[in-house]
Amino acid sequence: MDEEGGSQVDSDSASGNCHLELYTLGTGCAAPSAYRGASAYLIRSKYNGTKKSPLIKPLNILLEAGEGFVMQYLRHVSPELESMLSLSLIWISHAHWDHYGGLVPLLTLLYDLRAKRNSNTKLEAPLVLAPRTVLRFCELMLCQKTE
């Protein structure tokens, strides 16, 4: 484990090097605190290939997005909000607040960051895999923000 709370795994292949990092940003709590946050795990991959390929891009996966996730991310992964735009997949295991309480703030932040970018590069929103009740909650909350 490195000093920022991330574990690292390297894998060499014939075409390059894949580097994985696991950040434990929260392991569960009744209420988020500076010392122990609600469930959140980030898997970041970096590919350092010898040949540039548009088909191979970093894959960043968020497992759970408990309340306070954004602050834990900024504190332990990167102080740059823009780095959150690299999230590819968000997975929520079940409909308990300590597993998805930070999802609406995160999706709102990602939307705002994409809207502020003045680039012709198309930024894909992350795929969100979650129970139907969580997706419905997010839909209701996000629709209220745009009205």
Side-chain angles (χ1 to χ4, degrees), residues 58-124:
L59 180 65
N60 296 305
I61 301 171
L62 177 62
L63 305 174
E64 313 294 6
E67 187 176 4
F69 162 75
V70 172
M71 289 307 297
Q72 291 291 76
Y73 180 96
L74 295 173
R75 183 179 293 136
H76 298 291
V77 179
S78 173
E80 301 294 327
L81 284 174
E82 288 277 324
S83 68
M84 287 191 186
L85 290 172
S86 65
L87 280 172
S88 308
L89 173 72
I90 300 169
W91 179 78
I92 307 297
S93 63
H94 61 282
H96 286 175
W97 190 251
D98 61 323
H99 291 260
Y100 75 95
L103 188 54
V104 169
L106 172 60
L107 294 174
T108 301
L109 175 66
L110 292 175
Y111 176 83
D112 291 345
L113 288 171
R114 282 178 171 79
K116 288 179 184 174
R117 280 196 122 182
N118 50 0
S119 169
N120 292 335
T121 307
K122 182 182 176 192
L123 293 171
E124 293 182 20

